[in-house]
Amino acid sequence: MTGVTRVVAQGTFDLLHPGHLHYLREAKAMGDELHVIVARRGNVTHKSPPVLPDRQRRDMVSALRVVDEARLGHPDDIFVPIHEIQPAVIVLGHDQHHDEDALRAALDARDLDCEVARASARDPAYDGELLSTGDIVDRVLDERGD
């Protein structure tokens, strides 16, 4: 299909929450198709590994109406799915650890021509709304932990 603007969003997506939905909606608004790459547990090294299994997280992301395709990341090379998808834009979450300039340089080194953008933060819509997996885990431990 020519003329289709593909957008990639990526992340761990452990315990989906409104912050994830905000990120994915913003990413989708930047193109026609939203492809989401869900990080494999073994590749998550910058924070605690996800609680939920890889496939479950992928399936939950895939079920969101805003997502056109969700897949697990490559176990060895994070750029393999980017080569396959050929996005026009890669959208980073507002708080993701990626360095935009370093990502642009890595894309250029691999002859991948796509824009890098960053989604905005979302403020809680009401008192007590949780917008991070860590905050959800903390609340569960506070209210149901031993």
Side-chain angles (χ1 to χ4, degrees):
M1 186 187 280
T2 56
V4 174
T5 302
R6 291 188 188 101
V7 177
V8 163
Q10 57 77 41
T12 307
F13 301 102
D14 199 21
L15 305 176
L16 285 176
H17 55 72
H20 288 133
L21 192 54
H22 172 78
Y23 166 42
L24 296 175
R25 283 178 174 155
E26 268 199 14
K28 174 67 177 226
M30 295 182 193
D32 303 310
E33 291 180 359
L34 177 59
H35 296 255
V36 180
I37 301 168
V38 177
R40 291 176 184 269
R41 188 177 209 275
N43 291 350
V44 178
T45 58
H46 62 284
K47 61 182 179 180
S48 297
V51 174
L52 300 176
D54 293 350
R55 198 165 135 194
Q56 181 176 342
R57 292 180 291 111
R58 192 250 356 250
D59 290 349
M60 292 300 294
V61 169
S62 183
L64 298 173
R65 184 178 0 195
V66 70
V67 175
D68 293 292
E69 181 191 352
R71 66 171 76 191
L72 291 174
H74 191 274
D76 301 315
D77 184 348
I78 63 169
F79 292 97
V80 167
I82 302 301
H83 276 285
E84 293 170 354
I85 297 165
Q86 292 292 306
V89 185
I90 295 175
V91 182
L92 303 173
H94 82 96
D95 62 351
Q96 286 180 338
H97 70 285
H98 301 288
D99 177 292
E100 293 164 64
D101 292 331
L103 178 56
R104 284 184 190 98
L107 292 165
D108 287 345
R110 290 166 177 82
D111 291 324
L112 291 164
D113 182 25
C114 62
E115 178 185 342
V116 176
R118 191 168 289 274
S120 68
R122 179 185 179 280
D123 292 325
Y126 52 86
D127 189 39
E129 182 181 37
L130 301 177
L131 300 177
S132 84
T133 299
D135 289 347
I136 293 169
V137 169
D138 290 345
R139 172 84 53 90
V140 169
L141 291 174
D142 287 346
E143 294 190 10
R144 297 193 182 167
D146 291 287

